[in-house]
C-alpha cells in the first residue's frame, strides 16, 4: 500500500512539473493544477490496487488528467503528444479496467 501511495505521489509531482513547463497559457495551467489537486487520492489508490497489471506512473498521470476533466487538447499539450495519443491512452486504460471488472468513473468514460 505504501508503495502504491508513493507511486501516486510521484505521478502527481511529475504531472505538476509537466503542467508548469507546458506551452499552455498561464490561466489554463493554474486551472489544470487546481483540478488535479481536487482529486480524491484514495479513489486513485483504489483504482491502482485493482489494476492488472499494475499501473505505471505514466498511466496514473493520464488517469489524473481524465479524472480532473481536462480536455484532450490540454492533456496533449501537457504531455507534448498528439490528441490521438491521448485517445489511445484513454481507450487502453478503459479496456484494462473493463477486463478487471472495475467500473470506472463516468468522467473517465465521457471524456
Amino acid at each position: 500500500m505504501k508503495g502504491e501511495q508513493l507511486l501516486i505521489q510521484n505521478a502527481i509531482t511529475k504531472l505538476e512539473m509537466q503542467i508548469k513547463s507546458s506551452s499552455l497559457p498561464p490561466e489554463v495551467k493554474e486551472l489544470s493544477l487546481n483540478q488535479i489537486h481536487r482529486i480524491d487520492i484514495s479513489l486513485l489508490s483504489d483504482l491502482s490496487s485493482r489494476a492488472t497489471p499494475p499501473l505505471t506512473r505514466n498511466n496514473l498521470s493520464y488517469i489524473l488528467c481524465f479524472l480532473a476533466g481536462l480536455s484532450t487538447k490540454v492533456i496533449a499539450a501537457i504531455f507534448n503528444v498528439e490528441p490521438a495519443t491521448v485517445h489511445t491512452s484513454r481507450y487502453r486504460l478503459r479496456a484494462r479496467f473493463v477486463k478487471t471488472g472495475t467500473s470506472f468513473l463516468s468522467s473517465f468514460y465521457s471524456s
Side-chain angles (χ1 to χ4, degrees), residues 4 7-8 43-51 54-55 60 97:
E4 242 175 55
L7 184 64
I8 291 169
L43 168 69
L44 199 56
S45 182
D46 182 49
L47 288 172
S48 180
S49 68
R50 295 176 188 217
L55 296 173
L60 289 169
F97 285 101

Side-chain angles (χ1 to χ4, degrees), residues 5 8-9 20 25 32 35 40 44 46 68 88 90 95 97:
Q5 292 195 341
I8 291 169
Q9 193 55 49
K20 290 175 184 176
S32 299
Q35 288 175 291
D40 182 7
L44 199 56
D46 182 49
T88 301
R90 181 180 290 120
F97 285 101

Side-chain angles (χ1 to χ4, degrees), residues 62 81-90:
Y62 272 105
V81 296
E82 293 293 323
T85 303
V86 176
H87 287 293
T88 301
S89 294
R90 181 180 290 120

